[in-house]
Each structure stands twice: as C-alpha cells, then as structure tokens.
Coordinates of all heavy atoms in Angstrom, one line a residue:
M1 N 3.8 0.4 -30.2 CA 4.9 1.3 -29.9 C 4.7 1.8 -28.5 O 5.7 2.0 -27.8 CB 4.8 2.4 -31.0 CG 6.0 3.4 -30.9 SD 7.5 2.5 -31.4 CE 8.6 3.8 -31.3
I2 N 3.5 2.1 -28.1 CA 3.3 2.6 -26.7 C 3.7 1.6 -25.7 O 4.4 1.9 -24.7 CB 1.8 3.1 -26.6 CG1 1.5 4.3 -27.5 CG2 1.5 3.4 -25.1 CD1 0.1 4.7 -27.5
K3 N 3.3 0.3 -25.9 CA 3.6 -0.7 -24.9 C 5.1 -0.9 -24.9 O 5.6 -1.2 -23.8 CB 2.9 -2.0 -25.3 CG 1.4 -2.0 -25.1 CD 0.8 -3.3 -25.4 CE -0.7 -3.3 -25.3 NZ -1.3 -4.6 -25.6
K4 N 5.8 -0.8 -26.0 CA 7.2 -1.0 -26.0 C 7.9 0.1 -25.2 O 8.8 -0.2 -24.4 CB 7.7 -1.0 -27.5 CG 9.2 -1.1 -27.6 CD 9.6 -1.0 -29.1 CE 11.1 -1.0 -29.2 NZ 11.6 -0.8 -30.5
D5 N 7.4 1.3 -25.3 CA 8.0 2.5 -24.6 C 7.7 2.3 -23.1 O 8.6 2.6 -22.3 CB 7.5 3.8 -25.1 CG 8.1 4.2 -26.4 OD1 9.2 3.7 -26.7 OD2 7.5 5.1 -27.1
I6 N 6.6 1.9 -22.7 CA 6.3 1.6 -21.3 C 7.2 0.5 -20.7 O 7.7 0.6 -19.6 CB 4.8 1.3 -21.1 CG1 3.9 2.6 -21.4 CG2 4.5 0.8 -19.7 CD1 2.5 2.4 -21.3
F7 N 7.3 -0.5 -21.5 CA 8.2 -1.6 -21.1 C 9.7 -1.2 -20.9 O 10.3 -1.5 -20.0 CB 8.1 -2.8 -22.1 CG 9.0 -3.9 -21.7 CD1 8.7 -4.8 -20.6 CD2 10.2 -4.2 -22.4 CE1 9.5 -5.8 -20.3 CE2 11.0 -5.2 -22.0 CZ 10.7 -6.0 -21.0
I8 N 10.1 -0.4 -21.9 CA 11.5 0.2 -21.7 C 11.6 1.0 -20.5 O 12.6 1.0 -19.8 CB 11.9 1.0 -23.0 CG1 12.0 0.1 -24.2 CG2 13.1 1.8 -22.8 CD1 12.2 0.8 -25.5
G9 N 10.6 1.9 -20.2 CA 10.6 2.7 -19.0 C 10.6 1.8 -17.7 O 11.3 2.1 -16.8
M10 N 9.9 0.7 -17.8 CA 9.8 -0.2 -16.6 C 11.2 -0.8 -16.4 O 11.7 -0.9 -15.3 CB 8.7 -1.2 -16.8 CG 7.3 -0.6 -16.7 SD 6.1 -1.8 -17.1 CE 6.1 -2.9 -15.6
F11 N 11.8 -1.2 -17.5 CA 13.1 -1.8 -17.4 C 14.2 -0.8 -16.9 O 15.0 -1.2 -16.0 CB 13.6 -2.4 -18.8 CG 14.9 -3.1 -18.8 CD1 15.0 -4.3 -18.2 CD2 16.0 -2.5 -19.4 CE1 16.2 -4.9 -18.2 CE2 17.2 -3.1 -19.4 CZ 17.3 -4.3 -18.8
V12 N 14.1 0.4 -17.4 CA 15.0 1.4 -16.9 C 14.8 1.7 -15.4 O 15.7 1.9 -14.6 CB 14.9 2.7 -17.7 CG1 15.6 3.9 -17.1 CG2 15.4 2.5 -19.1
G13 N 13.5 1.7 -15.0 CA 13.2 1.9 -13.6 C 13.7 0.8 -12.7 O 14.2 1.1 -11.6
L14 N 13.6 -0.4 -13.2 CA 14.2 -1.6 -12.4 C 15.7 -1.5 -12.3 O 16.3 -1.7 -11.2 CB 13.8 -2.9 -13.0 CG 12.4 -3.4 -12.7 CD1 12.1 -4.6 -13.5 CD2 12.2 -3.7 -11.2
I15 N 16.4 -1.2 -13.4 CA 17.8 -1.1 -13.4 C 18.3 0.1 -12.5 O 19.2 0.0 -11.7 CB 18.3 -0.9 -14.8 CG1 18.1 -2.1 -15.6 CG2 19.8 -0.6 -14.8 CD1 18.7 -3.4 -15.1
A16 N 17.5 1.2 -12.6 CA 17.9 2.4 -11.8 C 17.7 2.1 -10.3 O 18.5 2.5 -9.5 CB 17.0 3.6 -12.2
N17 N 16.7 1.3 -10.0 CA 16.4 1.0 -8.6 C 17.5 0.0 -8.1 O 18.0 0.1 -7.0 CB 15.1 0.3 -8.4 CG 14.7 0.2 -7.0 OD1 15.4 0.6 -6.1 ND2 13.5 -0.2 -6.7
A18 N 17.9 -0.9 -8.9 CA 19.0 -1.9 -8.6 C 20.3 -1.1 -8.3 O 21.0 -1.4 -7.4 CB 19.1 -2.9 -9.6
I19 N 20.6 -0.2 -9.2 CA 21.9 0.6 -9.0 C 21.8 1.4 -7.8 O 22.7 1.5 -7.0 CB 22.1 1.4 -10.3 CG1 22.5 0.5 -11.5 CG2 23.2 2.4 -10.1 CD1 22.5 1.2 -12.8
G20 N 20.6 2.1 -7.6 CA 20.4 2.9 -6.4 C 20.5 2.0 -5.1 O 21.1 2.5 -4.1
L21 N 20.0 0.8 -5.1 CA 20.1 -0.1 -4.0 C 21.5 -0.4 -3.7 O 22.0 -0.5 -2.6 CB 19.2 -1.3 -4.2 CG 19.3 -2.4 -3.1 CD1 18.8 -1.9 -1.8 CD2 18.5 -3.6 -3.6
Y22 N 22.3 -0.7 -4.8 CA 23.7 -1.0 -4.6 C 24.5 0.1 -4.0 O 25.3 0.0 -3.1 CB 24.3 -1.4 -6.0 CG 25.8 -1.8 -5.9 CD1 26.1 -3.0 -5.4 CD2 26.7 -0.9 -6.3 CE1 27.5 -3.4 -5.3 CE2 28.1 -1.3 -6.2 CZ 28.4 -2.5 -5.7 OH 29.8 -2.8 -5.6
F23 N 24.3 1.4 -4.5 CA 24.9 2.5 -4.0 C 24.5 2.8 -2.6 O 25.4 3.1 -1.7 CB 24.7 3.8 -4.9 CG 25.4 3.8 -6.1 CD1 24.9 4.4 -7.3 CD2 26.7 3.3 -6.3 CE1 25.6 4.5 -8.4 CE2 27.4 3.3 -7.4 CZ 26.8 3.9 -8.6
T24 N 23.3 2.6 -2.3 CA 22.8 2.9 -0.9 C 23.4 1.9 0.1 O 23.9 2.2 1.2 CB 21.3 2.8 -0.8 OG1 20.7 3.7 -1.7 CG2 20.8 3.1 0.6
A25 N 23.5 0.6 -0.4 CA 24.1 -0.4 0.5 C 25.6 -0.2 0.7 O 26.1 -0.5 1.7 CB 23.8 -1.8 -0.1
S26 N 26.2 0.3 -0.4 CA 27.6 0.6 -0.3 C 27.9 1.7 0.6 O 28.9 1.7 1.4 CB 28.2 0.9 -1.7 OG 28.1 -0.2 -2.5
L27 N 27.1 2.8 0.6 CA 27.3 3.9 1.4 C 27.0 3.6 2.9 O 27.7 4.0 3.8 CB 26.4 5.1 1.0 CG 26.8 5.8 -0.3 CD1 25.8 6.8 -0.7 CD2 28.2 6.5 -0.1
L28 N 25.9 2.9 3.1 CA 25.5 2.6 4.5 C 26.1 1.4 5.1 O 26.0 1.1 6.3 CB 24.0 2.5 4.6 CG 23.2 3.8 4.2 CD1 21.7 3.5 4.2 CD2 23.6 5.0 5.0
G29 N 26.8 0.6 4.2 CA 27.3 -0.7 4.7 C 28.7 -0.6 5.3 O 29.2 -1.6 5.8
K30 N 29.3 0.6 5.3 CA 30.6 0.8 6.0 C 31.6 -0.2 5.5 O 32.4 -0.7 6.2 CB 30.4 0.7 7.5 CG 29.5 1.7 8.1 CD 29.3 1.5 9.5 CE 28.2 2.4 10.0 NZ 27.8 2.1 11.4
G31 N 31.7 -0.4 4.2 CA 32.7 -1.2 3.6 C 32.4 -2.7 3.5 O 33.3 -3.4 3.0
D32 N 31.3 -3.1 4.0 CA 31.0 -4.5 3.9 C 30.5 -4.9 2.5 O 30.2 -4.1 1.7 CB 29.8 -4.9 4.9 CG 30.3 -4.8 6.4 OD1 31.5 -4.9 6.6 OD2 29.4 -4.6 7.2
D33 N 30.5 -6.2 2.3 CA 30.1 -6.7 1.0 C 28.6 -6.5 0.8 O 27.8 -6.4 1.8 CB 30.3 -8.2 0.9 CG 30.1 -8.8 -0.4 OD1 30.6 -8.3 -1.4 OD2 29.4 -9.9 -0.5
F34 N 28.1 -6.3 -0.5 CA 26.7 -6.0 -0.8 C 25.8 -7.1 -0.2 O 24.8 -6.7 0.5 CB 26.5 -5.9 -2.3 CG 25.1 -5.7 -2.7 CD1 24.5 -4.5 -2.5 CD2 24.4 -6.7 -3.3 CE1 23.2 -4.3 -2.9 CE2 23.1 -6.6 -3.7 CZ 22.5 -5.3 -3.5
T35 N 26.1 -8.4 -0.4 CA 25.2 -9.4 0.2 C 25.2 -9.4 1.7 O 24.1 -9.7 2.3 CB 25.7 -10.8 -0.4 OG1 27.0 -11.0 0.0 CG2 25.5 -10.9 -1.9
T36 N 26.3 -9.1 2.3 CA 26.3 -9.0 3.8 C 25.4 -7.9 4.3 O 24.7 -8.0 5.2 CB 27.8 -8.7 4.3 OG1 28.6 -9.8 3.7 CG2 27.8 -8.8 5.8
V37 N 25.5 -6.7 3.6 CA 24.6 -5.6 4.0 C 23.1 -5.9 3.8 O 22.3 -5.6 4.7 CB 25.0 -4.3 3.2 CG1 24.0 -3.2 3.4 CG2 26.4 -3.9 3.5
I38 N 22.8 -6.6 2.7 CA 21.4 -6.9 2.4 C 20.9 -7.9 3.4 O 19.8 -7.8 4.0 CB 21.2 -7.5 1.0 CG1 21.6 -6.4 -0.1 CG2 19.9 -8.0 0.7 CD1 20.7 -5.2 0.0
Q39 N 21.8 -8.9 3.8 CA 21.4 -9.9 4.8 C 21.2 -9.3 6.1 O 20.2 -9.6 6.9 CB 22.4 -11.0 4.8 CG 22.1 -12.1 5.8 CD 20.8 -12.9 5.3 OE1 20.6 -13.1 4.1 NE2 20.0 -13.3 6.3
A40 N 22.1 -8.4 6.5 CA 22.0 -7.7 7.8 C 20.7 -6.8 7.8 O 20.0 -6.7 8.8 CB 23.2 -6.8 8.1
A41 N 20.4 -6.2 6.7 CA 19.2 -5.3 6.6 C 18.0 -6.2 6.8 O 17.0 -5.8 7.4 CB 19.2 -4.5 5.3
A42 N 18.0 -7.3 6.2 CA 16.8 -8.2 6.3 C 16.7 -8.7 7.7 O 15.6 -8.8 8.3 CB 16.9 -9.4 5.3
D43 N 17.8 -9.1 8.4 CA 17.8 -9.6 9.7 C 17.3 -8.5 10.7 O 16.6 -8.8 11.7 CB 19.1 -10.1 10.1 CG 19.5 -11.3 9.4 OD1 18.6 -12.0 8.8 OD2 20.7 -11.7 9.4
E44 N 17.7 -7.2 10.5 CA 17.4 -6.2 11.4 C 16.1 -5.4 11.1 O 15.7 -4.6 11.8 CB 18.6 -5.2 11.5 CG 19.8 -5.8 12.0 CD 21.0 -4.9 12.0 OE1 20.8 -3.7 11.8 OE2 22.2 -5.4 12.2
G45 N 15.5 -5.8 10.0 CA 14.2 -5.2 9.6 C 14.1 -3.9 8.9 O 13.1 -3.2 8.9
F46 N 15.2 -3.5 8.3 CA 15.2 -2.3 7.5 C 15.5 -2.4 6.1 O 15.9 -1.5 5.4 CB 16.1 -1.2 8.2 CG 17.5 -1.4 8.1 CD1 18.3 -1.0 7.1 CD2 18.1 -2.1 9.2 CE1 19.7 -1.3 7.1 CE2 19.5 -2.3 9.2 CZ 20.3 -1.9 8.1
L47 N 15.2 -3.6 5.5 CA 15.4 -3.9 4.1 C 14.5 -3.0 3.2 O 14.9 -2.5 2.2 CB 15.3 -5.4 3.8 CG 15.6 -5.8 2.3 CD1 17.0 -5.4 2.0 CD2 15.3 -7.2 2.1
G48 N 13.2 -2.9 3.7 CA 12.3 -2.1 3.0 C 12.7 -0.6 2.8 O 12.6 0.0 1.8
K49 N 13.3 -0.1 3.9 CA 13.8 1.3 3.8 C 15.0 1.4 2.9 O 15.1 2.4 2.2 CB 14.2 1.7 5.2 CG 13.0 1.8 6.2 CD 13.5 2.2 7.6 CE 12.3 2.1 8.5 NZ 12.6 2.4 9.9
L50 N 15.8 0.4 2.9 CA 17.0 0.4 2.0 C 16.5 0.3 0.5 O 17.1 1.0 -0.3 CB 17.9 -0.8 2.3 CG 19.3 -0.8 1.9 CD1 20.0 0.3 2.5 CD2 20.0 -2.1 2.2
I51 N 15.5 -0.5 0.2 CA 15.0 -0.6 -1.1 C 14.3 0.8 -1.5 O 14.5 1.2 -2.7 CB 14.0 -1.7 -1.3 CG1 14.7 -3.1 -1.1 CG2 13.2 -1.7 -2.6 CD1 13.8 -4.3 -1.0
S52 N 13.6 1.4 -0.6 CA 13.0 2.7 -0.9 C 14.1 3.8 -1.2 O 13.9 4.6 -2.0 CB 12.1 3.1 0.3 OG 11.1 2.2 0.5
L53 N 15.1 3.7 -0.4 CA 16.2 4.7 -0.7 C 16.8 4.5 -2.1 O 17.3 5.4 -2.7 CB 17.3 4.6 0.4 CG 16.9 5.3 1.7 CD1 18.0 5.0 2.7 CD2 16.8 6.8 1.5
G54 N 16.9 3.2 -2.5 CA 17.4 2.9 -3.8 C 16.6 3.4 -4.9 O 17.0 3.6 -6.0
A55 N 15.3 3.6 -4.7 CA 14.4 4.1 -5.7 C 14.5 5.6 -6.0 O 13.9 6.1 -6.9 CB 12.9 3.8 -5.3
I56 N 15.4 6.2 -5.3 CA 15.6 7.7 -5.6 C 16.2 7.9 -7.0 O 15.9 8.9 -7.6 CB 16.5 8.3 -4.5 CG1 15.7 8.3 -3.2 CG2 17.0 9.7 -4.9 CD1 16.4 8.9 -2.0
L57 N 17.0 6.9 -7.5 CA 17.5 7.1 -8.8 C 16.4 7.1 -9.9 O 16.6 7.5 -11.0 CB 18.5 6.0 -9.1 CG 19.9 6.3 -8.7 CD1 20.9 5.2 -9.1 CD2 20.4 7.6 -9.1
N58 N 15.2 6.5 -9.5 CA 14.1 6.5 -10.5 C 13.7 8.0 -10.8 O 13.1 8.2 -11.8 CB 12.9 5.7 -9.9 CG 13.2 4.2 -10.0 OD1 14.2 3.8 -10.5 ND2 12.2 3.5 -9.5
L59 N 13.8 8.9 -9.8 CA 13.5 10.3 -10.1 C 14.4 10.8 -11.2 O 13.9 11.5 -12.0 CB 13.8 11.1 -8.8 CG 12.7 11.1 -7.7 CD1 13.2 11.8 -6.5 CD2 11.4 11.7 -8.2
V60 N 15.6 10.5 -11.2 CA 16.5 11.0 -12.2 C 16.1 10.4 -13.6 O 16.0 11.2 -14.6 CB 18.0 10.5 -11.9 CG1 18.9 10.9 -13.1 CG2 18.5 11.1 -10.6
A61 N 15.8 9.1 -13.7 CA 15.3 8.5 -14.9 C 14.0 9.1 -15.4 O 13.8 9.5 -16.5 CB 15.2 7.0 -14.8
F62 N 13.1 9.4 -14.4 CA 11.8 9.9 -14.7 C 11.9 11.3 -15.3 O 11.4 11.6 -16.4 CB 11.0 10.0 -13.5 CG 9.6 10.6 -13.7 CD1 8.6 9.9 -14.2 CD2 9.4 11.9 -13.2 CE1 7.3 10.5 -14.4 CE2 8.1 12.5 -13.4 CZ 7.1 11.8 -14.0
F63 N 12.8 12.2 -14.7 CA 12.9 13.5 -15.2 C 13.7 13.6 -16.5 O 13.4 14.5 -17.3 CB 13.5 14.5 -14.1 CG 12.5 14.8 -13.1 CD1 12.7 14.4 -11.8 CD2 11.4 15.5 -13.4 CE1 11.7 14.7 -10.8 CE2 10.4 15.9 -12.4 CZ 10.6 15.5 -11.1
I64 N 14.6 12.7 -16.7 CA 15.3 12.6 -18.0 C 14.3 12.3 -19.1 O 14.3 12.9 -20.2 CB 16.4 11.6 -18.0 CG1 17.6 12.2 -17.2 CG2 16.9 11.3 -19.4 CD1 18.7 11.2 -16.9
F65 N 13.4 11.3 -18.9 CA 12.4 11.0 -19.9 C 11.4 12.1 -20.1 O 11.0 12.4 -21.2 CB 11.7 9.7 -19.5 CG 12.5 8.5 -19.7 CD1 12.4 7.4 -18.8 CD2 13.3 8.3 -20.8 CE1 13.1 6.3 -19.0 CE2 14.1 7.2 -21.0 CZ 14.0 6.1 -20.1
I66 N 11.0 12.8 -19.1 CA 10.1 14.0 -19.2 C 10.8 15.1 -20.0 O 10.2 15.7 -20.9 CB 9.7 14.5 -17.8 CG1 8.8 13.5 -17.1 CG2 9.0 15.8 -17.9 CD1 7.4 13.3 -17.8
K67 N 12.0 15.3 -19.7 CA 12.8 16.4 -20.5 C 12.9 16.1 -21.9 O 12.8 17.0 -22.8 CB 14.1 16.6 -19.8 CG 14.9 17.8 -20.4 CD 16.1 18.1 -19.6 CE 16.9 19.3 -20.2 NZ 16.5 20.5 -19.7
K68 N 13.1 14.8 -22.3 CA 13.2 14.4 -23.7 C 11.8 14.2 -24.3 O 11.8 13.7 -25.5 CB 14.0 13.1 -23.7 CG 15.4 13.2 -23.4 CD 16.1 11.9 -23.6 CE 17.6 12.0 -23.5 NZ 18.3 10.7 -23.7
K69 N 10.8 14.5 -23.6 CA 9.4 14.3 -24.1 C 9.1 12.9 -24.5 O 8.4 12.6 -25.4 CB 9.1 15.3 -25.2 CG 9.3 16.7 -24.9 CD 8.6 17.6 -25.8 CE 8.9 19.1 -25.6 NZ 8.6 19.6 -24.3
Q70 N 9.6 11.9 -23.7 CA 9.3 10.5 -23.8 C 8.3 10.1 -22.7 O 8.7 9.5 -21.7 CB 10.6 9.7 -23.8 CG 11.5 10.0 -25.0 CD 12.8 9.3 -24.9 OE1 13.2 8.8 -23.8 NE2 13.4 9.2 -26.0
D71 N 7.1 10.6 -22.8 CA 6.1 10.4 -21.7 C 5.8 9.0 -21.4 O 5.6 8.7 -20.2 CB 4.8 11.2 -22.1 CG 5.1 12.7 -22.2 OD1 6.0 13.2 -21.6 OD2 4.3 13.3 -22.9
Y72 N 5.7 8.1 -22.4 CA 5.4 6.7 -22.1 C 6.5 6.0 -21.4 O 6.2 5.1 -20.5 CB 5.0 6.0 -23.4 CG 3.6 6.5 -23.9 CD1 3.6 7.3 -25.0 CD2 2.5 6.2 -23.2 CE1 2.3 7.8 -25.4 CE2 1.2 6.6 -23.6 CZ 1.2 7.4 -24.8 OH 0.0 7.9 -25.2
R73 N 7.7 6.3 -21.7 CA 8.9 5.8 -20.9 C 8.8 6.3 -19.5 O 9.1 5.5 -18.5 CB 10.2 6.1 -21.6 CG 10.3 5.3 -22.9 CD 11.7 5.5 -23.5 NE 11.7 4.8 -24.8 CZ 12.8 4.7 -25.5 NH1 13.9 5.2 -25.1 NH2 12.7 4.1 -26.7
A74 N 8.5 7.5 -19.3 CA 8.4 8.1 -17.9 C 7.3 7.4 -17.2 O 7.4 7.2 -16.0 CB 8.2 9.6 -18.0
R75 N 6.2 7.1 -17.9 CA 5.1 6.4 -17.3 C 5.5 5.0 -16.8 O 5.1 4.5 -15.7 CB 3.9 6.3 -18.3 CG 2.7 5.7 -17.7 CD 1.6 5.6 -18.7 NE 1.2 7.0 -19.1 CZ 0.2 7.2 -20.0 NH1 -0.4 6.2 -20.6 NH2 -0.1 8.4 -20.3
G76 N 6.4 4.3 -17.6 CA 6.9 3.0 -17.1 C 7.7 3.1 -15.9 O 7.7 2.3 -15.0
V77 N 8.6 4.2 -15.8 CA 9.4 4.4 -14.6 C 8.5 4.6 -13.4 O 8.7 4.1 -12.3 CB 10.4 5.5 -14.8 CG1 11.1 5.9 -13.5 CG2 11.4 5.2 -15.9
L78 N 7.4 5.4 -13.6 CA 6.5 5.7 -12.6 C 5.8 4.5 -12.1 O 5.5 4.3 -10.9 CB 5.5 6.8 -13.0 CG 4.5 7.3 -12.0 CD1 5.3 8.0 -10.9 CD2 3.5 8.3 -12.6
L79 N 5.4 3.6 -13.0 CA 4.7 2.3 -12.7 C 5.6 1.5 -11.8 O 5.2 0.9 -10.8 CB 4.3 1.6 -13.9 CG 3.1 2.1 -14.7 CD1 2.9 1.4 -16.0 CD2 1.9 1.9 -13.8
I80 N 6.9 1.4 -12.1 CA 7.8 0.6 -11.3 C 8.0 1.2 -10.0 O 8.1 0.5 -9.0 CB 9.2 0.4 -12.1 CG1 9.0 -0.6 -13.2 CG2 10.3 0.0 -11.1 CD1 8.6 -2.0 -12.8
T81 N 8.1 2.5 -9.9 CA 8.2 3.2 -8.6 C 7.0 2.9 -7.7 O 7.2 2.7 -6.5 CB 8.4 4.7 -8.8 OG1 9.5 4.9 -9.7 CG2 8.7 5.4 -7.5
V82 N 5.8 3.0 -8.3 CA 4.6 2.7 -7.5 C 4.6 1.2 -7.1 O 4.3 0.9 -5.9 CB 3.3 3.0 -8.3 CG1 2.1 2.4 -7.6 CG2 3.2 4.5 -8.5
F83 N 5.1 0.3 -8.0 CA 5.2 -1.1 -7.6 C 6.1 -1.3 -6.5 O 5.9 -2.1 -5.5 CB 5.6 -1.9 -8.8 CG 5.9 -3.4 -8.5 CD1 4.8 -4.3 -8.3 CD2 7.2 -3.8 -8.4 CE1 5.1 -5.6 -8.0 CE2 7.5 -5.1 -8.1 CZ 6.4 -6.0 -7.9
I84 N 7.3 -0.6 -6.5 CA 8.3 -0.8 -5.4 C 7.7 -0.2 -4.1 O 7.9 -0.8 -3.0 CB 9.6 -0.1 -5.8 CG1 10.2 -0.8 -6.9 CG2 10.5 0.1 -4.6 CD1 11.4 -0.1 -7.6
A85 N 6.9 0.9 -4.2 CA 6.3 1.4 -3.0 C 5.3 0.4 -2.4 O 5.3 0.2 -1.2 CB 5.7 2.7 -3.3
V86 N 4.5 -0.2 -3.2 CA 3.5 -1.2 -2.7 C 4.3 -2.4 -2.2 O 3.9 -2.9 -1.1 CB 2.5 -1.6 -3.8 CG1 1.7 -2.7 -3.4 CG2 1.7 -0.4 -4.2
F87 N 5.3 -2.8 -2.9 CA 6.1 -4.0 -2.4 C 6.7 -3.7 -1.1 O 6.7 -4.6 -0.2 CB 7.2 -4.3 -3.4 CG 8.2 -5.4 -3.0 CD1 7.8 -6.7 -3.0 CD2 9.4 -5.0 -2.5 CE1 8.6 -7.7 -2.6 CE2 10.3 -6.0 -2.1 CZ 9.9 -7.3 -2.1
T88 N 7.3 -2.6 -0.8 CA 7.9 -2.3 0.5 C 6.9 -2.1 1.5 O 7.1 -2.5 2.7 CB 8.8 -1.0 0.4 OG1 8.0 0.1 -0.1 CG2 10.0 -1.2 -0.5
F89 N 5.7 -1.6 1.2 CA 4.6 -1.5 2.2 C 4.2 -2.9 2.6 O 4.0 -3.2 3.8 CB 3.4 -0.8 1.6 CG 2.3 -0.7 2.5 CD1 2.3 0.1 3.6 CD2 1.1 -1.4 2.3 CE1 1.2 0.2 4.5 CE2 0.0 -1.3 3.1 CZ 0.1 -0.5 4.2
V90 N 3.9 -3.8 1.6 CA 3.5 -5.2 1.9 C 4.6 -5.9 2.7 O 4.4 -6.7 3.6 CB 3.1 -5.9 0.6 CG1 2.9 -7.4 0.9 CG2 1.9 -5.3 0.1
F91 N 5.9 -5.7 2.3 CA 7.0 -6.3 2.9 C 7.1 -5.9 4.4 O 7.5 -6.7 5.2 CB 8.3 -6.0 2.2 CG 9.6 -6.7 2.6 CD1 9.8 -8.0 2.4 CD2 10.5 -6.0 3.4 CE1 10.9 -8.7 2.8 CE2 11.6 -6.6 3.9 CZ 11.8 -8.0 3.6
K92 N 6.8 -4.7 4.6 CA 6.9 -4.1 6.0 C 5.8 -4.7 6.9 O 6.0 -4.9 8.1 CB 6.7 -2.6 6.0 CG 6.9 -1.9 7.3 CD 8.3 -2.0 7.7 CE 8.5 -1.1 9.0 NZ 9.8 -1.3 9.6
L93 N 4.6 -5.1 6.3 CA 3.5 -5.6 7.0 C 3.8 -7.1 7.5 O 3.4 -7.5 8.5 CB 2.2 -5.6 6.2 CG 1.6 -4.3 6.0 CD1 0.4 -4.4 5.1 CD2 1.2 -3.6 7.3
F94 N 4.6 -7.8 6.7 CA 4.8 -9.2 7.0 C 6.3 -9.3 7.3 O 7.1 -9.7 7.7 CB 4.5 -10.1 5.8 CG 3.0 -10.0 5.4 CD1 2.7 -9.4 4.3 CD2 2.1 -10.6 6.2 CE1 1.3 -9.3 3.9 CE2 0.7 -10.5 5.8 CZ 0.4 -9.8 4.7

C-alpha cells in the first residue's frame, strides 16, 4: 500500500510538472506552438529554467496531499521534484 501511494504521488508529480511546463511555455512563448517554444528554449540554453518553472505546480499537488493527510503521496511528489531538480542541474552542466 505504501509503495502504491508513493507511485501515485510520483505520477501526479510528473503530470503536474508536464502541465506546468505547458502553461509556462504558453505564457512565455508569446503565442508560438509548444514544440517551437521548447525547441527555441533548447537552442538558446534556457530549457532547464523552463522545466524548473513548470515544477511550481508540484507545490500545489504536494500541499493538497499534505492537507488530505496523504503523506506517502506527498512523498512521491517530493521525490519527483527532487529528481527534476537534479535533472535540470545535470542538464545545465552538459
């Protein structure tokens, strides 16, 4: 049961990050297509920052799980957020 709740939290964290990335790209893309914005961000070197801004929705998911006393799901969201932070750090190095 614990592993299932952590996995659900990780899945919610990934979905929240993907939705946040889409909203961030839409807001900062000035009306361009999502793939065009992502490609331009990769070319100009700020894709990591865009992904990090997308992770802000993970805060919402985390606090919803905490409020509902679903600590293991909140732990899954936190794990994905840490993974995204490490990923963007490594992505920035290379």
Side-chain angles (χ1 to χ4, degrees):
M1 189 69 175
I2 292 173
K3 289 182 182 179
K4 179 182 173 186
D5 284 340
I6 291 175
F7 179 73
I8 290 171
M10 291 173 72
F11 182 72
V12 169
L14 281 174
I15 296 300
N17 194 358
I19 292 170
L21 177 63
Y22 180 77
F23 283 148
T24 304
S26 297
L27 286 173
L28 299 177
K30 300 176 185 170
D32 290 337
D33 188 51
F34 176 72
T35 55
T36 306
V37 172
I38 296 298
Q39 185 63 36
D43 292 342
E44 295 175 15
F46 66 90
L47 183 61
K49 294 176 185 176
L50 201 61
I51 293 171
S52 296
L53 283 173
I56 290 177
L57 276 184
N58 285 355
L59 281 171
V60 175
F62 178 78
F63 284 116
I64 287 173
F65 286 142
I66 291 293
K67 186 169 177 92
K68 290 183 174 183
K69 300 199 186 303
Q70 296 174 340
D71 295 336
Y72 289 106
R73 290 183 184 189
R75 187 179 295 180
V77 173
L78 186 63
L79 285 171
I80 285 298
T81 305
V82 169
F83 173 76
I84 290 168
V86 170
F87 173 75
T88 55
F89 178 72
V90 170
F91 186 74
K92 186 71 173 169
L93 289 177
F94 301 106

